[in-house]
Amino acid sequence: MEAYHRKINLVTCFFKPSNSSSNSDINQIISGPQQADLLARSFQNFSSLGTAFFISNEHSDSPFLRNINVPDPDVNKLTLEVIRKFNFFFSKYEFEDPHFVVCDPDFLLISPGVEAVFDGSFDIGVTLRPDKRMPYNSGIFFVDNSRINAGKIFYQLQEDLINEKHMDHASWFCDQLVISDLLDSKSEYIGGGLYKVNDLIIKVFDAKKYNFSPNRDHPNLFSVPSGVVLYHFKGRCRTSMKLFFKYFVEDNSSSRFKIFRYIMQALYAEFLRKKYKRLFVMAKDRIMPSDRKI
């Protein structure tokens, strides 16, 4: 079957943030269900979307999402709770289409090409970025269940390893640490960007293409970054997600008219960024695991 005829299932998980967190302020600007709706609509635009699943303690009214409602998480194990929900998902459900993109809701598919990822060479795809502290970002994974139930095996491996080594970071960062552990300590490199971990074949993809985030804390709304397939709106970038979707994913107007609108929209986004600035914490001030080697 040709890659562009493959249907891609989409799976995302979101827990409503507590009122005391900065994420709660972001949630008032763009909620988790709204992010997930834009994510699913972007896949509808640029891929052959199968089913988009929204795992959450909130409900979405989006016609593009299938809700899987779950209880409120243990906030002291928030990141581990997300991994457990993905483990539950792949353990309980069976699917006709075996290809999945599992990601945070703050992603957009901004160009065609995601189907080509699933070339039959791997079970799990991860993205690598130039970050010595946490090189493997857990915001997105590619899961191919054609050969085995790779999703279930992968998330069970993560859950077991976190329980064994990373419970001190179960609320945050354990998802990043566990992927480094799997690839650096538990795997055998077999060439071509492929690693073998137990029964799984894991392939490493370039984050610049499949998990792109801007260098600044807000995206450039003057143009789409060249060569990028999946755009990750981390942190306060999420406040620009609606605008980016409207003018780069959904808009089909002429190029000349777009340029004028992009300029006006970028100026407006800059105004909003300054307005919302008090709501956010700079990335350098975030608490990082003290035992992580640089």
PDB file of all heavy atoms in Angstrom, residues 159-187:
ATOM      1  N   GLU A 159       6.327   2.644  31.670  1.00  0.00           N
ATOM      2  CA  GLU A 159       5.728   2.632  33.004  1.00  0.00           C
ATOM      3  C   GLU A 159       6.580   1.812  33.976  1.00  0.00           C
ATOM      4  O   GLU A 159       6.825   2.246  35.116  1.00  0.00           O
ATOM      5  CB  GLU A 159       4.308   2.068  32.923  1.00  0.00           C
ATOM      6  CG  GLU A 159       3.535   2.220  34.218  1.00  0.00           C
ATOM      7  CD  GLU A 159       2.066   1.843  34.082  1.00  0.00           C
ATOM      8  OE1 GLU A 159       1.538   1.855  32.951  1.00  0.00           O
ATOM      9  OE2 GLU A 159       1.457   1.538  35.125  1.00  0.00           O
ATOM     10  N   ASP A 160       7.048   0.661  33.536  1.00  0.00           N
ATOM     11  CA  ASP A 160       7.869  -0.199  34.399  1.00  0.00           C
ATOM     12  C   ASP A 160       9.179   0.487  34.771  1.00  0.00           C
ATOM     13  O   ASP A 160       9.617   0.432  35.928  1.00  0.00           O
ATOM     14  CB  ASP A 160       8.159  -1.528  33.698  1.00  0.00           C
ATOM     15  CG  ASP A 160       6.927  -2.405  33.557  1.00  0.00           C
ATOM     16  OD1 ASP A 160       5.929  -2.140  34.248  1.00  0.00           O
ATOM     17  OD2 ASP A 160       6.973  -3.344  32.735  1.00  0.00           O
ATOM     18  N   LEU A 161       9.818   1.122  33.809  1.00  0.00           N
ATOM     19  CA  LEU A 161      11.106   1.755  34.067  1.00  0.00           C
ATOM     20  C   LEU A 161      10.962   2.989  34.956  1.00  0.00           C
ATOM     21  O   LEU A 161      11.832   3.267  35.794  1.00  0.00           O
ATOM     22  CB  LEU A 161      11.772   2.121  32.738  1.00  0.00           C
ATOM     23  CG  LEU A 161      13.256   2.512  32.779  1.00  0.00           C
ATOM     24  CD1 LEU A 161      14.089   1.446  33.479  1.00  0.00           C
ATOM     25  CD2 LEU A 161      13.780   2.749  31.364  1.00  0.00           C
ATOM     26  N   ILE A 162       9.880   3.728  34.796  1.00  0.00           N
ATOM     27  CA  ILE A 162       9.628   4.877  35.677  1.00  0.00           C
ATOM     28  C   ILE A 162       9.403   4.385  37.104  1.00  0.00           C
ATOM     29  O   ILE A 162       9.953   4.955  38.066  1.00  0.00           O
ATOM     30  CB  ILE A 162       8.423   5.685  35.184  1.00  0.00           C
ATOM     31  CG1 ILE A 162       8.784   6.417  33.883  1.00  0.00           C
ATOM     32  CG2 ILE A 162       7.981   6.712  36.241  1.00  0.00           C
ATOM     33  CD1 ILE A 162       7.598   7.027  33.173  1.00  0.00           C
ATOM     34  N   ASN A 163       8.612   3.339  37.264  1.00  0.00           N
ATOM     35  CA  ASN A 163       8.390   2.777  38.598  1.00  0.00           C
ATOM     36  C   ASN A 163       9.692   2.309  39.238  1.00  0.00           C
ATOM     37  O   ASN A 163       9.875   2.394  40.456  1.00  0.00           O
ATOM     38  CB  ASN A 163       7.402   1.609  38.523  1.00  0.00           C
ATOM     39  CG  ASN A 163       5.972   2.061  38.273  1.00  0.00           C
ATOM     40  OD1 ASN A 163       5.586   3.159  38.675  1.00  0.00           O
ATOM     41  ND2 ASN A 163       5.197   1.234  37.604  1.00  0.00           N
ATOM     42  N   GLU A 164      10.598   1.855  38.413  1.00  0.00           N
ATOM     43  CA  GLU A 164      11.866   1.337  38.905  1.00  0.00           C
ATOM     44  C   GLU A 164      12.870   2.434  39.233  1.00  0.00           C
ATOM     45  O   GLU A 164      13.568   2.370  40.252  1.00  0.00           O
ATOM     46  CB  GLU A 164      12.478   0.405  37.848  1.00  0.00           C
ATOM     47  CG  GLU A 164      13.848  -0.153  38.205  1.00  0.00           C
ATOM     48  CD  GLU A 164      14.463  -0.926  37.052  1.00  0.00           C
ATOM     49  OE1 GLU A 164      13.720  -1.369  36.151  1.00  0.00           O
ATOM     50  OE2 GLU A 164      15.705  -1.085  37.052  1.00  0.00           O
ATOM     51  N   LYS A 165      12.922   3.514  38.408  1.00  0.00           N
ATOM     52  CA  LYS A 165      14.027   4.460  38.517  1.00  0.00           C
ATOM     53  C   LYS A 165      13.646   5.932  38.637  1.00  0.00           C
ATOM     54  O   LYS A 165      14.453   6.733  39.114  1.00  0.00           O
ATOM     55  CB  LYS A 165      14.951   4.322  37.286  1.00  0.00           C
ATOM     56  CG  LYS A 165      15.661   3.003  37.167  1.00  0.00           C
ATOM     57  CD  LYS A 165      16.568   2.984  35.949  1.00  0.00           C
ATOM     58  CE  LYS A 165      17.665   4.032  36.030  1.00  0.00           C
ATOM     59  NZ  LYS A 165      18.598   3.938  34.880  1.00  0.00           N
ATOM     60  N   HIS A 166      12.454   6.316  38.182  1.00  0.00           N
ATOM     61  CA  HIS A 166      12.188   7.745  38.008  1.00  0.00           C
ATOM     62  C   HIS A 166      10.946   8.250  38.738  1.00  0.00           C
ATOM     63  O   HIS A 166      10.374   9.265  38.331  1.00  0.00           O
ATOM     64  CB  HIS A 166      12.054   8.053  36.512  1.00  0.00           C
ATOM     65  CG  HIS A 166      13.271   7.733  35.715  1.00  0.00           C
ATOM     66  ND1 HIS A 166      14.490   8.342  35.918  1.00  0.00           N
ATOM     67  CD2 HIS A 166      13.466   6.833  34.713  1.00  0.00           C
ATOM     68  CE1 HIS A 166      15.376   7.856  35.077  1.00  0.00           C
ATOM     69  NE2 HIS A 166      14.785   6.935  34.339  1.00  0.00           N
ATOM     70  N   MET A 167      10.569   7.599  39.817  1.00  0.00           N
ATOM     71  CA  MET A 167       9.361   8.049  40.524  1.00  0.00           C
ATOM     72  C   MET A 167       9.540   9.429  41.150  1.00  0.00           C
ATOM     73  O   MET A 167       8.558  10.135  41.386  1.00  0.00           O
ATOM     74  CB  MET A 167       8.976   7.027  41.582  1.00  0.00           C
ATOM     75  CG  MET A 167       8.330   5.769  41.016  1.00  0.00           C
ATOM     76  SD  MET A 167       6.854   6.109  40.021  1.00  0.00           S
ATOM     77  CE  MET A 167       5.730   6.742  41.267  1.00  0.00           C
ATOM     78  N   ASP A 168      10.791   9.831  41.406  1.00  0.00           N
ATOM     79  CA  ASP A 168      11.024  11.179  41.939  1.00  0.00           C
ATOM     80  C   ASP A 168      10.596  12.261  40.950  1.00  0.00           C
ATOM     81  O   ASP A 168      10.389  13.409  41.345  1.00  0.00           O
ATOM     82  CB  ASP A 168      12.511  11.374  42.272  1.00  0.00           C
ATOM     83  CG  ASP A 168      12.943  10.585  43.500  1.00  0.00           C
ATOM     84  OD1 ASP A 168      12.057  10.114  44.229  1.00  0.00           O
ATOM     85  OD2 ASP A 168      14.163  10.436  43.702  1.00  0.00           O
ATOM     86  N   HIS A 169      10.487  11.889  39.678  1.00  0.00           N
ATOM     87  CA  HIS A 169      10.103  12.850  38.639  1.00  0.00           C
ATOM     88  C   HIS A 169       8.779  12.445  37.978  1.00  0.00           C
ATOM     89  O   HIS A 169       8.536  12.812  36.825  1.00  0.00           O
ATOM     90  CB  HIS A 169      11.204  12.957  37.587  1.00  0.00           C
ATOM     91  CG  HIS A 169      12.538  13.329  38.150  1.00  0.00           C
ATOM     92  ND1 HIS A 169      12.763  14.509  38.827  1.00  0.00           N
ATOM     93  CD2 HIS A 169      13.723  12.668  38.155  1.00  0.00           C
ATOM     94  CE1 HIS A 169      14.028  14.564  39.217  1.00  0.00           C
ATOM     95  NE2 HIS A 169      14.624  13.462  38.821  1.00  0.00           N
ATOM     96  N   ALA A 170       7.950  11.709  38.707  1.00  0.00           N
ATOM     97  CA  ALA A 170       6.696  11.209  38.136  1.00  0.00           C
ATOM     98  C   ALA A 170       5.724  12.328  37.788  1.00  0.00           C
ATOM     99  O   ALA A 170       4.860  12.157  36.928  1.00  0.00           O
ATOM    100  CB  ALA A 170       6.029  10.227  39.095  1.00  0.00           C
ATOM    101  N   SER A 171       5.871  13.482  38.431  1.00  0.00           N
ATOM    102  CA  SER A 171       4.971  14.599  38.126  1.00  0.00           C
ATOM    103  C   SER A 171       5.422  15.365  36.883  1.00  0.00           C
ATOM    104  O   SER A 171       4.620  15.983  36.195  1.00  0.00           O
ATOM    105  CB  SER A 171       4.890  15.559  39.309  1.00  0.00           C
ATOM    106  OG  SER A 171       6.165  16.131  39.580  1.00  0.00           O
ATOM    107  N   TRP A 172       6.722  15.303  36.582  1.00  0.00           N
ATOM    108  CA  TRP A 172       7.279  16.079  35.465  1.00  0.00           C
ATOM    109  C   TRP A 172       8.631  15.497  35.078  1.00  0.00           C
ATOM    110  O   TRP A 172       9.378  15.048  35.953  1.00  0.00           O
ATOM    111  CB  TRP A 172       7.436  17.540  35.890  1.00  0.00           C
ATOM    112  CG  TRP A 172       7.487  18.531  34.761  1.00  0.00           C
ATOM    113  CD1 TRP A 172       8.550  19.267  34.357  1.00  0.00           C
ATOM    114  CD2 TRP A 172       6.408  18.912  33.901  1.00  0.00           C
ATOM    115  NE1 TRP A 172       8.219  20.081  33.298  1.00  0.00           N
ATOM    116  CE2 TRP A 172       6.903  19.888  32.998  1.00  0.00           C
ATOM    117  CE3 TRP A 172       5.071  18.520  33.808  1.00  0.00           C
ATOM    118  CZ2 TRP A 172       6.106  20.463  32.008  1.00  0.00           C
ATOM    119  CZ3 TRP A 172       4.275  19.101  32.825  1.00  0.00           C
ATOM    120  CH2 TRP A 172       4.793  20.054  31.955  1.00  0.00           C
ATOM    121  N   PHE A 173       8.921  15.439  33.805  1.00  0.00           N
ATOM    122  CA  PHE A 173      10.214  15.039  33.238  1.00  0.00           C
ATOM    123  C   PHE A 173      10.458  13.536  33.161  1.00  0.00           C
ATOM    124  O   PHE A 173      11.389  13.119  32.471  1.00  0.00           O
ATOM    125  CB  PHE A 173      11.403  15.683  33.986  1.00  0.00           C
ATOM    126  CG  PHE A 173      11.457  17.170  33.880  1.00  0.00           C
ATOM    127  CD1 PHE A 173      11.469  17.955  35.028  1.00  0.00           C
ATOM    128  CD2 PHE A 173      11.491  17.799  32.654  1.00  0.00           C
ATOM    129  CE1 PHE A 173      11.526  19.332  34.937  1.00  0.00           C
ATOM    130  CE2 PHE A 173      11.553  19.185  32.563  1.00  0.00           C
ATOM    131  CZ  PHE A 173      11.565  19.948  33.705  1.00  0.00           C
ATOM    132  N   CYS A 174       9.708  12.710  33.890  1.00  0.00           N
ATOM    133  CA  CYS A 174       9.989  11.270  33.834  1.00  0.00           C
ATOM    134  C   CYS A 174       9.803  10.734  32.414  1.00  0.00           C
ATOM    135  O   CYS A 174      10.484   9.775  32.013  1.00  0.00           O
ATOM    136  CB  CYS A 174       9.116  10.502  34.817  1.00  0.00           C
ATOM    137  SG  CYS A 174       7.345  10.495  34.447  1.00  0.00           S
ATOM    138  N   ASP A 175       8.917  11.316  31.644  1.00  0.00           N
ATOM    139  CA  ASP A 175       8.689  10.858  30.275  1.00  0.00           C
ATOM    140  C   ASP A 175       9.908  11.111  29.387  1.00  0.00           C
ATOM    141  O   ASP A 175      10.194  10.326  28.479  1.00  0.00           O
ATOM    142  CB  ASP A 175       7.444  11.529  29.686  1.00  0.00           C
ATOM    143  CG  ASP A 175       7.476  13.051  29.769  1.00  0.00           C
ATOM    144  OD1 ASP A 175       8.282  13.592  30.562  1.00  0.00           O
ATOM    145  OD2 ASP A 175       6.703  13.705  29.053  1.00  0.00           O
ATOM    146  N   GLN A 176      10.628  12.217  29.656  1.00  0.00           N
ATOM    147  CA  GLN A 176      11.832  12.497  28.888  1.00  0.00           C
ATOM    148  C   GLN A 176      12.981  11.576  29.321  1.00  0.00           C
ATOM    149  O   GLN A 176      13.721  11.038  28.488  1.00  0.00           O
ATOM    150  CB  GLN A 176      12.270  13.958  29.092  1.00  0.00           C
ATOM    151  CG  GLN A 176      11.151  14.978  29.080  1.00  0.00           C
ATOM    152  CD  GLN A 176      10.739  15.402  27.673  1.00  0.00           C
ATOM    153  OE1 GLN A 176      11.329  14.988  26.698  1.00  0.00           O
ATOM    154  NE2 GLN A 176       9.724  16.224  27.580  1.00  0.00           N
ATOM    155  N   LEU A 177      13.117  11.410  30.623  1.00  0.00           N
ATOM    156  CA  LEU A 177      14.215  10.616  31.170  1.00  0.00           C
ATOM    157  C   LEU A 177      14.118   9.153  30.764  1.00  0.00           C
ATOM    158  O   LEU A 177      15.126   8.499  30.482  1.00  0.00           O
ATOM    159  CB  LEU A 177      14.233  10.741  32.695  1.00  0.00           C
ATOM    160  CG  LEU A 177      14.442  12.146  33.259  1.00  0.00           C
ATOM    161  CD1 LEU A 177      14.302  12.138  34.778  1.00  0.00           C
ATOM    162  CD2 LEU A 177      15.801  12.706  32.863  1.00  0.00           C
ATOM    163  N   VAL A 178      12.898   8.636  30.720  1.00  0.00           N
ATOM    164  CA  VAL A 178      12.729   7.210  30.454  1.00  0.00           C
ATOM    165  C   VAL A 178      13.087   6.865  29.007  1.00  0.00           C
ATOM    166  O   VAL A 178      13.612   5.776  28.736  1.00  0.00           O
ATOM    167  CB  VAL A 178      11.295   6.756  30.814  1.00  0.00           C
ATOM    168  CG1 VAL A 178      10.272   7.251  29.791  1.00  0.00           C
ATOM    169  CG2 VAL A 178      11.223   5.247  30.938  1.00  0.00           C
ATOM    170  N   ILE A 179      12.842   7.764  28.061  1.00  0.00           N
ATOM    171  CA  ILE A 179      13.206   7.489  26.668  1.00  0.00           C
ATOM    172  C   ILE A 179      14.717   7.462  26.516  1.00  0.00           C
ATOM    173  O   ILE A 179      15.276   6.598  25.810  1.00  0.00           O
ATOM    174  CB  ILE A 179      12.577   8.535  25.727  1.00  0.00           C
ATOM    175  CG1 ILE A 179      11.046   8.538  25.870  1.00  0.00           C
ATOM    176  CG2 ILE A 179      12.975   8.244  24.278  1.00  0.00           C
ATOM    177  CD1 ILE A 179      10.402   7.189  25.614  1.00  0.00           C
ATOM    178  N   SER A 180      15.408   8.384  27.183  1.00  0.00           N
ATOM    179  CA  SER A 180      16.869   8.349  27.160  1.00  0.00           C
ATOM    180  C   SER A 180      17.386   7.046  27.755  1.00  0.00           C
ATOM    181  O   SER A 180      18.348   6.453  27.239  1.00  0.00           O
ATOM    182  CB  SER A 180      17.432   9.547  27.934  1.00  0.00           C
ATOM    183  OG  SER A 180      17.180  10.754  27.250  1.00  0.00           O
ATOM    184  N   ASP A 181      16.770   6.607  28.826  1.00  0.00           N
ATOM    185  CA  ASP A 181      17.167   5.341  29.444  1.00  0.00           C
ATOM    186  C   ASP A 181      16.987   4.167  28.484  1.00  0.00           C
ATOM    187  O   ASP A 181      17.868   3.317  28.346  1.00  0.00           O
ATOM    188  CB  ASP A 181      16.328   5.086  30.706  1.00  0.00           C
ATOM    189  CG  ASP A 181      17.087   5.440  31.973  1.00  0.00           C
ATOM    190  OD1 ASP A 181      18.238   5.883  31.860  1.00  0.00           O
ATOM    191  OD2 ASP A 181      16.526   5.271  33.061  1.00  0.00           O
ATOM    192  N   LEU A 182      15.827   4.123  27.827  1.00  0.00           N
ATOM    193  CA  LEU A 182      15.535   3.018  26.918  1.00  0.00           C
ATOM    194  C   LEU A 182      16.555   2.946  25.781  1.00  0.00           C
ATOM    195  O   LEU A 182      17.034   1.864  25.427  1.00  0.00           O
ATOM    196  CB  LEU A 182      14.126   3.159  26.342  1.00  0.00           C
ATOM    197  CG  LEU A 182      12.963   2.807  27.256  1.00  0.00           C
ATOM    198  CD1 LEU A 182      11.634   3.124  26.578  1.00  0.00           C
ATOM    199  CD2 LEU A 182      13.002   1.327  27.648  1.00  0.00           C
ATOM    200  N   LEU A 183      16.891   4.094  25.207  1.00  0.00           N
ATOM    201  CA  LEU A 183      17.784   4.098  24.045  1.00  0.00           C
ATOM    202  C   LEU A 183      19.259   4.057  24.430  1.00  0.00           C
ATOM    203  O   LEU A 183      20.074   3.451  23.729  1.00  0.00           O
ATOM    204  CB  LEU A 183      17.492   5.313  23.170  1.00  0.00           C
ATOM    205  CG  LEU A 183      16.137   5.290  22.471  1.00  0.00           C
ATOM    206  CD1 LEU A 183      15.939   6.543  21.640  1.00  0.00           C
ATOM    207  CD2 LEU A 183      15.988   4.063  21.590  1.00  0.00           C
ATOM    208  N   ASP A 184      19.620   4.692  25.535  1.00  0.00           N
ATOM    209  CA  ASP A 184      21.027   4.762  25.918  1.00  0.00           C
ATOM    210  C   ASP A 184      21.494   3.535  26.706  1.00  0.00           C
ATOM    211  O   ASP A 184      22.671   3.165  26.633  1.00  0.00           O
ATOM    212  CB  ASP A 184      21.292   6.023  26.746  1.00  0.00           C
ATOM    213  CG  ASP A 184      21.062   7.304  25.960  1.00  0.00           C
ATOM    214  OD1 ASP A 184      21.015   7.221  24.716  1.00  0.00           O
ATOM    215  OD2 ASP A 184      20.920   8.367  26.590  1.00  0.00           O
ATOM    216  N   SER A 185      20.584   2.916  27.460  1.00  0.00           N
ATOM    217  CA  SER A 185      20.998   1.848  28.376  1.00  0.00           C
ATOM    218  C   SER A 185      20.355   0.496  28.094  1.00  0.00           C
ATOM    219  O   SER A 185      20.928  -0.537  28.448  1.00  0.00           O
ATOM    220  CB  SER A 185      20.674   2.255  29.823  1.00  0.00           C
ATOM    221  OG  SER A 185      21.252   3.494  30.154  1.00  0.00           O
ATOM    222  N   LYS A 186      19.185   0.489  27.493  1.00  0.00           N
ATOM    223  CA  LYS A 186      18.430  -0.763  27.354  1.00  0.00           C
ATOM    224  C   LYS A 186      18.378  -1.275  25.922  1.00  0.00           C
ATOM    225  O   LYS A 186      17.723  -2.286  25.661  1.00  0.00           O
ATOM    226  CB  LYS A 186      16.994  -0.550  27.849  1.00  0.00           C
ATOM    227  CG  LYS A 186      16.860   0.023  29.259  1.00  0.00           C
ATOM    228  CD  LYS A 186      17.231  -0.972  30.317  1.00  0.00           C
ATOM    229  CE  LYS A 186      16.968  -0.412  31.705  1.00  0.00           C
ATOM    230  NZ  LYS A 186      17.344  -1.382  32.760  1.00  0.00           N
ATOM    231  N   SER A 187      19.041  -0.603  24.987  1.00  0.00           N
ATOM    232  CA  SER A 187      18.861  -0.930  23.575  1.00  0.00           C
ATOM    233  C   SER A 187      20.156  -1.411  22.929  1.00  0.00           C
ATOM    234  O   SER A 187      21.256  -1.231  23.452  1.00  0.00           O
ATOM    235  CB  SER A 187      18.339   0.286  22.811  1.00  0.00           C
ATOM    236  OG  SER A 187      19.364   1.265  22.704  1.00  0.00           O
TER     237      SER A 187
END
